[in-house]
Every structure is written in C-alpha cells, then in structure tokens.
Amino acid sequence: MTKTPFTDALAAFAAAPLAGADSARAVLRLSLLDWCAVALAGQQEPVAQVLRALAQEEGGAPQAHALGMAARVPARMAALVNGTLSHALDYDDTHFAHIGHPSVAVIPAALAMGERVGAGGAAMQEAALVGVEASVRVGVWLGRGHYQAGFHQTATAGAFGAGLAAGRLLGLSAAQLADVIGLLGTRASGLKSQFGTMGKPFNAGIAAANGVEAALLVSKGFDPRRAGLEDAQGFGPTHQGAGDMGVLEGLGQSWLFEQVSHKFHACCHGLHAALEAVAELLPVEPEGITAIEVVTHPRWLTVCNIAAPATGLEAKFSYAQVMALAVLGHDTARLDSFTDALACDPQVGALRQKVRVTPDDTLPETAARVSLTLNGGTREASHDLLTPLPLSTRAAKVRAKAEALLGAQAVARLDRLITDNAAPGEIGAALQAF
C-alpha cells in the first residue's frame, strides 16, 4: 500500500479540534467580510449570470443560497455559483506562498455545506479556517513549478481546502477526510490559460464545487484511492508537484493563512506592488513622461503582462494598462477603472506604449520597482506587499474597501453577523437581501 504521509497529516489536522488560533481567526473574519463584499459586487457580472442561468435550469434540492437567486439550490451548485462570482472581479484575497486565492475556493464551500447541514457560525468559520490553511499548505507542497507549468493554484490547491472544509462540516473522520483528499486528486483542475476570460473565476467555482462533491461522496461511502494526491500517478507527481514535505512544519500550531494579502486594487494581485510603487511618484504631467519601467519577478510575465488589452477583463492582467491608468489619475481601486471603454481609450493606449516591463529574479514575487523617465530626469520607487501591516490597519483598509463597494450600512450589518457567529443560512439570507 502506498504511504500517504502528507495526506494523513492534512486529514488529521482537518479533523482535530481547534485550540487558540485567535489571530488566525481574526484574519479569517476579515477575509469573510472581504469575500462578502467582492461577491456582492460581482453578482451581476456576465459570468455570474451565466452560472445562475445554469443553476436555474437544473433546479434541485433547496439546500443553500446562491447569490442573486430567489430559491435555494443544491449545495454543490451554490458553491459553484458563489465561488465563480466572488472571483469575477478579481478583487479577492491572495496568498503569495503559493500564488492562490484561498477564500474564493473555500468560503463558498464552507457556506454551502454549512447551510446544508445546519451548522452554526462558529463551526462554519472554523471549517473555513482549516480549509484555507490546508489550501495554502497544499499549494506550497505542490510548489512554484506546478504554478509555472500553467496550473491555477486557486483551483487546484483550493479544491483540497474546499473539500476539507466541507468534510469537517459533515463530521467526517480523519480517515474519511484522507479519502476526500484522495478523491480530489482525480477531480482538482484549473489552468492559467483562462486568465483574462470568464474561465478564471470559473476556476474558483469548480474548486469550491469539487470540494463539496468529494466530501458528500465520501460521506455516502465512496471508496477512492487514498493516495490520489501523493502516489507515483497521483495529482502531485503528474502535475509538476514538488512534494515539499517541509510545509507540514508547524501545522496546527502556526498559521500560514495569517500572511494572506487583501486586495486594494481591482486587478490581478501581481500588479499591486507596482501600483503601490508608482503611487509614490505621482502626480506627474503625463505629457512629460518619456518612459515607464516596471521591474518585477519574471514569474509575473506569464500572468499579468498583456501588452495591449482589448477588454476590461484583460486590463486586469496588464502592467502597461494599470501604469497608464495610475499616471492618468484613474483610481485602480474602483471597479469602473477596468472597462472595455478604458481598455480602448486612445490616451490610455498611447501612454501604455511607453511602459516597459523588465524581469528581475532577485526581486521577491511580492515586490516591484517603478521608474518614470521625465523631461527633467528620472523618479524611482519600490514596494513589497509583504511589508508588515498591523491587523488594525488591515481591518480598517478591508472595511473601507467593503464600504466603497457596498456602503457603510451594509458593511456594518455584515460585520455584526460575522462577529456574532451567525449561521451560514443567516449569512446567505442576508447576502440575498442586498
């Protein structure tokens, strides 16, 4: 029998009671508020309408809320819809340990399964915390080679986190949770080739739905190959996984999820360090700029370096576009800065032709340098997204972002529900009311 040390460790972690973890719980609550805000803001995006149309046609047991739908739907479909639309704006949190979006894969699964089984709010939040932590650990276990080969960690690593969150809420044993991981070895999927299209947010939805599906199947007696993640023909080895067992260090005592980075620009997180850097150099007269250079880690060149985006979606993955927008005074925290019209704006197009993106593998993936060459000389600034941010400051920024998306009254209500450990069904009903 193939040994499964990584799978067994994750399953034991996901089945165990949580002790302490106060700071990790606080960060999870911030991410839950952030998730609610970006999900509500994205619920009318075209991809959300497509997914809801499918859910409406299929119908099914009324188990959980799907945003924008009057009637409840099966938990698996709720996870698919909510996972997709919450990533539709690309405005959700990111973890740079593996370059993935933990919340959009795991929180929809935890909410849907929590509502299906009638779980309390505290249990749902604990399951979500276990899930997001597991997704990061799986992502680091898979490694950068997995991501660089073209796999979208939000979808691949995220599916395992979603499955463990859902399985915990179902009350599965550690052995059953190991089976969930094994089954997800044949179900997890998602490619970076979909970036800039509806396929990218759909990747988050399928991660959430895959997690719910696998947990439900195992709860009903499904018997997969438990080594589906680790053995020679398992998901890891066949998907360029590094198999880094060092990631198990501190599991259950320290929380990698605490280093999650919340977005304060409505575009790919790979662009944010450059946007923070260029902000230090503004304002300038655009007419006086002869060149803009962005120096970034080479990994981002295959992610968010579309030179001439033609749509608002493509604009979210373009250094040239966001540099031009920032210099011209467009607020990249606003959703309406990423439209088809601005992608095709002649003034923006002319300025982005002056942008040059240069790779530098000595830079951290979370950092960037930006220089503006002007008629009167050159200005330069740098920024690293992992610069420590106190929890109170982070909380204030997340709430300000949520208020900009939803309004202060709505955010105050959501914040109370989260703080008071409202049940998943209560949160789902509240989200439907907005």
Side-chain angles (χ1 to χ4, degrees), residues 92-311:
D92 46 286
D93 60 20
T94 306
H95 206 294
F96 288 103
H98 69 305
I99 312 182
H101 301 265
S103 292
V104 291
V106 175
I107 287 176
L111 283 172
M113 186 61 79
E115 190 170 358
R116 185 186 192 277
V117 303
M124 184 277 292
Q125 289 187 26
E126 285 191 352
L129 179 56
V130 164
V132 292
E133 180 70 15
S135 75
V136 175
R137 300 268 179 167
V138 171
V140 176
W141 182 83
L142 288 168
R144 284 295 191 267
H146 172 75
Y147 184 79
Q148 199 64 15
F151 299 107
H152 188 192
Q153 288 266 39
T154 300
T156 56
F160 295 95
L164 289 175
R168 182 184 177 96
L169 286 164
L170 279 168
L172 301 186
S173 67
Q176 289 174 305
L177 289 170
D179 284 342
V180 170
I181 294 171
L183 180 55
L184 284 166
T186 202
R187 200 73 170 104
S189 59
L191 298 175
K192 291 194 299 180
S193 63
Q194 295 295 332
F195 285 13
T197 75
M198 288 185 182
K200 184 175 192 282
F202 183 64
N203 282 348
I206 58 176
N210 284 340
V212 168
E213 177 185 84
L216 286 170
L217 287 170
V218 169
S219 76
K220 297 179 184 302
F222 194 100
D223 185 18
R225 182 175 297 280
R226 188 172 294 179
L229 177 60
E230 293 179 73
D231 72 10
Q233 292 188 318
F235 184 85
T238 61
H239 288 70
Q240 304 293 314
D244 179 8
M245 295 298 289
V247 74
L248 292 177
E249 183 177 352
L251 181 63
Q253 285 79 48
S254 60
W255 295 82
L256 298 183
F257 180 69
E258 288 187 47
Q259 282 73 54
V260 72
S261 183
H262 295 96
K263 280 191 173 184
F264 304 114
H265 302 277
C267 55
C268 177
H269 226 142
L271 305 172
H272 288 212
L275 281 166
E276 294 294 331
V278 78
E280 299 178 24
L281 307 177
L282 302 177
V284 297
E285 291 296 329
E287 296 79 9
I289 295 176
T290 58
I292 303 171
E293 183 180 23
V294 177
V295 182
T296 186
H297 190 281
R299 199 173 308 280
W300 295 114
L301 300 188
T302 60
V303 177
C304 48
N305 193 32
I306 298 175
T311 67

Side-chain angles (χ1 to χ4, degrees), residues 6 62 76 111 188 283 319 423:
F6 184 65
R76 179 175 55 173
L111 283 172
Y319 280 109

Side-chain angles (χ1 to χ4, degrees), residues 35-44 48-49 51-53 55 64-73 77-87 108 111 115 414 427-434:
W35 180 88
C36 289
V38 298
L40 284 168
Q43 66 178 327
Q44 296 307 321
Q49 297 177 40
L51 267 290
R52 280 196 296 268
H65 287 89
L67 281 171
M69 298 190 69
R72 296 193 304 164
V73 298
M77 180 59 80
L80 179 67
V81 173
N82 292 340
T84 299
L85 65 83
S86 61
H87 196 44
L111 283 172
E115 190 170 358
L414 288 171
I427 291 176
L431 292 172
Q432 292 298 90
F434 292 114

Side-chain angles (χ1 to χ4, degrees), residues 263-264 276 389 391-402:
K263 280 191 173 184
F264 304 114
E276 294 294 331
L389 195 65
L391 184 61
S392 59
T393 302
R394 192 198 312 212
K397 289 172 75 71
V398 168
R399 289 191 178 94
K401 167 188 167 180

